[in-house]
Amino acid sequence: MLSNQILQNCIDGTKSITRREISVIEREGKVIASTNDTEINSVIDIIENFIASPAESQLVQGSHFFKVFDNGVAEYVVCISGEDDETYRIGKMTAFQIQHLIIAYKERYDKDNFLKNLLLDNLLLVDIYSRAKKLDIENAVRRIVYLIEVEVDKDLSILEVVRNIFPEKLKDFVTAVDERSVILVKELSDSDDLESINRIAQLIFESLTAEPLQNIRVSIGTTVNDLKNVSQSYKESKMALEVGRIFEPERFIVNYEELGIGRLIYQLPVNLCRMFINEVLHGTSMDQFDTEILVTVNKFFENNLNVSETSRQLYIHRNTLVYRLDKLQKQTGLDLRNFDDAIVFKITLMVSKYLEHIETSLYK
């Protein structure tokens, strides 16, 4: 069913062209939209009798009334002041316009409903193809899923913002999974590569940051060539969002294909992760290390184990950096100047982040 605001926008646009006062009335006689504000919420008594009659239009007391049908049932009545032929034509056109708005919004609802069930794996394979055919959705098309998560102002619809970015209704599908997340199923051409896929995510991010939104994140699944596999791309985009939040919280665009070792760690059993931490840290935990040591280690990794460059960026003497690395070696037995030991400790840092995320999630 159309919202009152959509109906109001429709008749306001018609009035701006025709200069006629128009109202939309529901079946029970209540005015739900009108170009005359004083008439909204008023009740017109003759409507129930008009709805029950076989006539599609009626002229009563200087106004034309027109039924608006949905699947053969009169859902609304359009009322327009005037008795001449021009008034009749305008009223008929308005009713026709609203009727096609109903069809368009029902089609969108049907596609949204189909898409949500497809993403959540709620459809049998035979249902996917049969329903897609009825909705004129092609099957063997290259597609990818973008998941947009944002803390949005209540007065702003992120769904409509994303739909305005991708208005191609026959190829790209946009739906909301909750009040903070929107999914874009984007059709790709054969020439679209990883760079162009990431560029689309950048476009989404930049368009949303132009609105009064906060903490926007965009994640990307992998490309699929069959409609039934769209849910796989959605699951990958969800994983990418979570993995990015854990291991690279400063990144706002995350591609599943660029997660690296974080994707592997995220899928490890928790017990195995705890066993690894105990083995490397000998029963201690990462939060027992000095913050100074951890900052030094992270900067050391950023500079590819280069002592001189790390000490320069930290504004410390080279000997101070060596002292800190020696201190860490005494605690763990790992010399980060050795490549193999550096890999072990880097993985330890990431596994510790993952375990911290798991424990924090349990107490939410």
Side-chain angles (χ1 to χ4, degrees):
M1 190 65 65
L2 297 178
S3 69
N4 292 354
Q5 187 58 55
I6 292 172
L7 293 169
Q8 187 66 50
N9 292 341
C10 176
I11 60 175
D12 283 343
T14 304
K15 180 186 175 181
S16 68
I17 299 169
T18 63
R19 307 299 180 188
R20 301 294 184 98
E21 298 293 343
I22 307 170
S23 297
V24 180
I25 310 157
E26 63 181 6
R27 292 173 57 87
E28 291 74 22
K30 182 180 177 181
V31 178
I32 56 176
S34 178
T35 54
N36 183 351
D37 292 343
T38 60
E39 291 189 2
I40 294 179
N41 294 325
S42 62
V43 177
I44 300 179
D45 295 332
I46 66 167
I47 294 301
E48 289 195 51
N49 290 332
F50 175 46
I51 290 288
S53 73
E56 293 187 10
S57 65
Q58 189 172 350
L59 176 62
V60 180
Q61 296 177 354
S63 294
H64 273 291
F65 293 85
F66 302 86
K67 291 178 182 176
V68 178
F69 294 93
D70 179 15
N71 285 336
V73 178
E75 288 292 339
Y76 303 108
V77 172
V78 170
C79 173
I80 180 167
S81 300
E83 300 182 359
D84 58 353
D85 291 343
E86 181 66 16
T87 302
Y88 177 85
R89 282 193 294 270
I90 294 170
K92 197 73 173 174
M93 288 173 60
T94 305
F96 178 81
Q97 184 178 9
I98 293 174
Q99 191 160 321
H100 278 265
L101 277 175
I102 293 173
I103 294 170
Y105 271 79
K106 282 182 69 176
E107 181 180 293
R108 173 183 282 187
Y109 172 79
D110 288 342
K111 286 187 175 180
D112 276 357
N113 189 46
F114 169 70
L115 185 60
K116 287 175 183 176
N117 283 306
L118 177 66
L119 293 168
L120 297 174
D121 282 331
N122 290 338
L123 296 172
L124 297 174
L125 189 60
V126 65
D127 291 333
I128 292 175
Y129 297 136
S130 62
R131 290 185 61 182
K133 186 175 182 180
K134 289 179 182 177
L135 295 170
D136 293 324
I137 299 174
E138 290 188 57
N139 171 42
V141 173
R142 191 166 176 244
R143 294 183 174 95
I144 194 167
V145 171
Y146 293 84
L147 177 58
I148 304 111
E149 183 185 77
V150 61
E151 292 181 8
V152 61
D153 190 297
K154 292 179 181 178
D155 295 330
L156 180 68
S157 172
I158 177 178
L159 187 65
E160 292 306 318
V161 173
V162 178
R163 278 180 174 152
N164 289 335
I165 303 172
F166 303 96
E168 181 53 75
K169 298 177 183 178
L170 297 178
K171 294 184 177 181
D172 303 327
F173 306 101
V174 181
T175 189
V177 290
D178 54 46
E179 67 277 5
R180 295 180 57 220
S181 301
V182 166
I183 297 169
L184 164 67
V185 180
K186 183 83 176 69
E187 182 174 321
L188 301 175
S189 66
D190 293 336
S191 60
D192 284 324
D193 55 11
L194 184 62
E195 183 180 348
S196 59
I197 287 169
N198 286 338
R199 211 162 35 235
I200 293 171
Q202 187 67 36
L203 169 65
I204 296 170
F205 179 78
E206 290 175 356
S207 299
L208 290 176
T209 51
E211 303 289 345
L213 308 174
Q214 295 179 339
N215 299 331
I216 301 162
R217 289 184 178 274
V218 182
S219 63
I220 313 166
T222 59
T223 58
V224 296
N225 296 306
D226 195 296
L227 194 60
K228 72 179 190 302
N229 295 326
V230 167
S231 62
Q232 173 192 324
S233 185
Y234 170 57
K235 291 171 187 174
E236 290 164 346
S237 67
K238 284 181 67 178
M239 180 187 288
L241 193 69
E242 195 67 10
V243 171
R245 186 183 287 111
I246 297 169
F247 299 114
E248 297 182 90
E250 70 284 352
R251 283 182 63 185
F252 298 105
I253 299 175
V254 188
N255 192 319
Y256 179 83
E257 294 189 11
E258 300 175 322
L259 293 177
I261 197 171
R263 180 173 55 234
L264 296 176
I265 293 173
Y266 183 78
Q267 297 178 85
L268 291 174
V270 173
N271 288 341
L272 189 60
C273 291
R274 291 198 176 108
M275 188 183 301
F276 176 77
I277 293 294
N278 288 332
E279 180 183 332
V280 175
L281 301 183
H282 311 295
T284 61
S285 60
M286 197 59 68
D287 56 10
Q288 292 178 274
F289 288 88
D290 294 340
T291 303
E292 187 179 68
I293 292 289
L294 295 178
V295 170
T296 301
V297 168
N298 285 320
K299 185 61 68 174
F300 191 51
F301 286 144
E302 286 177 20
N303 289 289
N304 298 315
L305 313 185
N306 187 310
V307 174
S308 299
E309 184 61 23
T310 302
S311 58
R312 186 186 70 80
Q313 290 188 19
L314 290 174
Y315 303 102
I316 60 175
H317 194 276
R318 178 188 175 94
N319 290 344
T320 304
L321 175 59
V322 171
Y323 167 78
R324 292 177 184 175
L325 294 177
D326 288 341
K327 183 179 178 181
L328 181 67
Q329 185 177 3
K330 289 178 182 178
Q331 291 176 292
T332 63
L334 299 172
D335 182 359
L336 300 196
R337 288 156 291 194
N338 178 287
F339 182 72
D340 288 343
D341 286 354
I343 289 177
V344 171
F345 197 73
K346 175 66 175 178
I347 294 174
T348 303
L349 286 171
M350 295 183 72
V351 171
S352 296
K353 280 185 178 180
Y354 172 60
L355 289 176
E356 182 182 350
H357 169 77
I358 292 296
E359 290 168 2
T360 302
S361 299
L362 290 175
Y363 290 105
K364 280 187 177 180

